[in-house]
Amino acid sequence: QEGNSYTATLNLASVTTGTHILNIALSGGGAAQVSFGVDRDAPLSTLNSPPVVYTPTFTVTISGDDAVSGIAYFHAQYRIGITGAWTDWLTRTAGWDYSTGNFSDLSPTFGPTQPVTVTLGATYYFRVRAVDLVGNWEVEHSLPDTQTSVRGPTIYLPLVMR
């Protein structure tokens, strides 16, 4: 005790995710209740895109959920082709900054020249991870969340049989 102030250490290592109440009873007869939350669970996220497009630009949709603290930001990646390397697209340090918790645009546009020049005939794969407000990272998705194939215009010619 220091004057009217008390200091105590609470080990939270075994406390589970959720809201808890700490009851404080002082030797002089004072008492208090303090509510606090613990978040040990990673958020969940997904990214959706159209399976096929006929233009070099399309919209993807990012969504996620974290039941305890909320989502702080998303980390989206893309790759070109099934064997392409994953490339950062929307992250905390590049693209949209989701660190404020204000998700102004969860439907960003991919193409025609950003983040890369979209090529007819190519297939683009996407995945996303969420980070919650206390720093829990979602496990990186080993498989893509979605893919979009970019096809050129289709021309139909009449069939003439002789």
Side-chain angles (χ1 to χ4, degrees):
Q1 174 183 0
E2 256 184 59
N4 291 332
S5 176
Y6 291 85
T7 302
T9 302
L10 178 62
N11 184 348
L12 298 176
S14 63
V15 178
T16 59
T17 292
T19 302
H20 302 275
I21 296 176
L22 176 63
N23 291 308
I24 304 167
L26 304 175
S27 59
Q33 267 192 350
V34 177
S35 176
F36 66 95
V38 174
D39 182 0
R40 298 189 190 287
D41 298 337
L44 299 173
S45 67
T46 191
L47 190 150
N48 292 299
S49 67
V52 176
V53 295
Y54 296 93
T55 62
T57 183
F58 53 93
T59 300
V60 302
T61 304
I62 299 169
S63 62
D65 183 54
D66 185 82
V68 181
S69 64
I71 293 178
Y73 59 95
F74 295 97
H75 182 144
Q77 295 180 308
Y78 71 92
R79 72 179 180 199
I80 304 170
I82 192 70
T83 59
W86 287 109
T87 302
D88 288 344
W89 177 28
L90 305 175
T91 68
R92 185 179 193 132
T93 57
W96 281 263
D97 183 0
Y98 293 113
S99 63
T100 63
N102 181 11
F103 304 118
S104 60
D105 188 6
L106 291 179
S107 298
T109 300
F110 191 87
T113 60
Q114 294 295 322
V116 293
T117 300
V118 172
T119 306
L120 294 178
T123 300
Y124 297 86
Y125 295 82
F126 300 92
R127 68 182 180 185
V128 66
R129 292 171 73 186
V131 181
D132 69 18
L133 290 168
V134 296
N136 295 318
W137 279 77
E138 178 180 14
V139 173
E140 189 169 82
H141 302 183
S142 59
L143 298 174
D145 291 329
T146 188
Q147 68 188 53
T148 298
S149 295
V150 181
R151 297 188 183 156
T154 303
I155 300 172
Y156 294 96
L157 300 175
L159 176 64
V160 178
M161 298 179 68
R162 293 183 185 205

